[in-house]
Amino acid sequence: MDIKTERRDGILTFAIRGRLDGYGAGQLADAVEASLQADDRSVVFDLAGMSYLSSAGIRILIATKKRLKERGGTLALAGIQDYPKSVLDMAGVTPIFSLYPDLEVAVAACRRSKDSLSVINDLVRAPVVRDGVAYTVEPASTRSSSLLVTGDLDKMLHARLTESDIRAIPFSALPYSLGLGALGENVADALPLLGEMITLHGSVVWLPTDGNATPDFFTPVKDAGKPCIYTGYNVTLYGPFHEIITIDAGDEGGIALSDIYRTIFDFARERKRDFSGVVALAMWAVVDGVCSLGVKRSPIAASSPANGLPINAEENAKEWLEENDEPKYRGETMVSFGFGIDYSACSGEHLSALTDRNRPKTQQLQLHNHGVIFRGVPWDASLDLTRQIERIVTGAEFVDMRHLKDNTRIRRAKVGVAYISEIAVEE
């Protein structure tokens, strides 16, 4: 059997040629698993070239239909021939499928269903469209939000951390946070493994600097105080999100993370929001490509660069930082947290606790975001953001965690936006 996979007008299609028997059913199941992305709702099986169908093949059709139904979508069968159709009839399952005479008609029907859902959403909340990207803004809270910075950013960037610089923090104290951290029996155990870290509702994901480039993941059932999180630098959000923004950048290409921040800052200026020029974002997204940059060595005093320059200086970057500009995880789910600084609007005290003093003076925007990749999470923009993030981090299939570069691209997202009014520092 031969399977050809492609997308037509944003609809995932599989052209099946030959016999969908026991062996072919396994091939088709693998193809669906490899190609179905988080924001796919409907799929078309083009059966014009399928000559044979068995019970094993029917089971795959039913399993795929059930999976799509859970997403509010459907499976369309196009161009089915007489013999396979008679097998469906004899099995008594023909009525549960949507049958269409050819691929074009099936794709158009799925497209209409997708467009209808968008129209319903638009009637509830009118989106703002900028550069082809739709933003739907919902107010959330009016209470103030702040960032708590633990540790010294400059000391971390110059690899001067010692045991006395490491703080032990309970899981429950870090609802949304990111920075440099590790898990271990004690400070001495954690210090040489400090790496990129993010916490989400009591779950911690971190990338040990042990040379294996493999993240670790831990979600406690309850916080008993031990084990705890050891951190050399951490930024934590305290307070609510002021807005929930749903973003739809379409099926191809997505929007850069930096452009999302720029648009949110534009929105803030237009609405004359009172904030410090700093926003914090928690995001549930379907990515179009993750690009990453992160430390690959623990920035401790015993390993500090001999030239005295920071680890992100051009002379030291190759030794200290792992950079990947090849987009990864296209179509997968990402949960992220981070913050952005708009230097043209900055007025907050202690801003230096977030700011790299070696940044170019012409730089208008500085971002710091970490993202966790999960698999098998259907996209549904109607779901509550906070509850969905909790469900994902506690139950979805974990794949990876990275420090996100600004050119990471997002296809669809639901974003909690906190306009920061205060930055507190705990050294």
Side-chain angles (χ1 to χ4, degrees), residues 96-399:
I96 73 172
F97 292 108
S98 300
L99 273 57
Y100 298 91
D102 56 45
L103 178 61
E104 286 70 23
V105 175
V107 168
C110 291
R111 187 72 219 181
R112 283 195 301 272
S113 176
K114 184 176 181 180
D115 291 343
S116 296
L117 183 62
S118 297
V119 169
I120 292 172
N121 290 335
D122 291 351
L123 289 173
V124 177
R125 303 178 303 274
V128 175
V129 179
R130 298 195 174 184
D131 298 322
V133 179
Y135 301 85
T136 304
V137 182
E138 302 173 73
S141 176
T142 58
R143 293 186 293 113
S144 62
S145 292
S146 63
L147 292 178
L148 175 63
V149 182
T150 302
D152 187 321
L153 176 62
D154 191 62
K155 186 175 286 189
M156 181 190 75
L157 289 176
H158 281 83
R160 294 172 182 164
L161 296 176
T162 65
E163 287 193 16
S164 63
D165 298 308
I166 307 304
R167 300 291 179 267
I169 305 178
F171 284 78
S172 58
L174 301 175
Y176 287 105
S177 81
L178 84 170
L180 189 82
L183 300 180
E185 183 179 357
N186 50 43
V187 173
D189 187 33
L191 189 65
L193 297 175
L194 293 172
E196 309 288 353
M197 180 189 73
I198 181 174
T199 67
L200 301 161
H201 289 288
S203 296
V204 61
V205 189
W206 64 294
L207 194 60
T209 49
D210 56 5
N212 296 318
T214 302
D216 208 358
F217 185 94
F218 183 64
T219 301
V221 175
K222 63 178 181 179
D223 187 354
K226 290 185 178 181
C228 58
I229 298 168
Y230 293 104
T231 180
Y233 181 77
N234 192 75
V235 181
T236 305
L237 171 66
Y238 287 102
F241 299 120
H242 300 109
E243 293 170 341
I244 305 296
I245 302 180
T246 303
I247 300 171
D248 191 334
D251 296 314
E252 299 295 336
I255 178 174
L257 184 62
S258 57
D259 289 332
I260 290 177
Y261 271 93
R262 287 190 181 94
T263 301
I264 289 173
F265 281 122
D266 286 344
F267 286 164
R269 281 189 286 269
E270 291 168 6
R271 292 193 291 274
K272 296 182 173 59
R273 293 201 66 100
D274 181 19
F275 76 112
S276 62
V278 180
V279 298
L281 304 186
M283 181 184 301
W284 164 38
V286 179
V287 297
D288 203 70
V290 170
C291 299
S292 61
L293 174 68
V295 295
K296 57 183 179 181
R297 300 177 61 185
S298 182
I300 57 178
S303 304
S304 59
N307 58 18
L309 297 175
I311 62 176
N312 59 350
E314 184 177 354
E315 296 88 337
N316 297 329
K318 187 175 181 180
E319 178 184 357
W320 281 88
L321 303 178
E322 186 73 39
E323 184 171 11
N324 192 335
D325 273 315
E326 180 181 353
K328 299 180 67 177
Y329 305 120
R330 183 171 282 113
E332 300 287 12
T333 293
M334 181 179 74
V335 176
S336 69
F337 173 71
F339 62 87
I341 303 171
D342 179 359
Y343 287 106
S344 68
C346 285
S347 59
E349 187 182 1
H350 298 311
L351 188 63
S352 60
L354 301 175
T355 303
D356 179 3
R357 66 176 62 176
N358 299 298
R359 68 179 178 87
K361 299 303 181 184
T362 57
Q363 182 179 345
Q364 181 182 356
L365 205 66
Q366 179 177 318
L367 309 183
H368 190 170
N369 295 267
H370 293 179
V372 188
I373 308 301
F374 296 90
R375 183 167 293 135
V377 183
W379 170 253
D380 185 347
S382 68
L383 297 178
D384 178 81
L385 174 64
T386 300
R387 291 179 181 175
Q388 184 64 359
I389 289 178
E390 290 177 348
R391 292 190 191 103
I392 292 171
V393 299
T394 57
E397 179 186 351
F398 169 71
V399 177

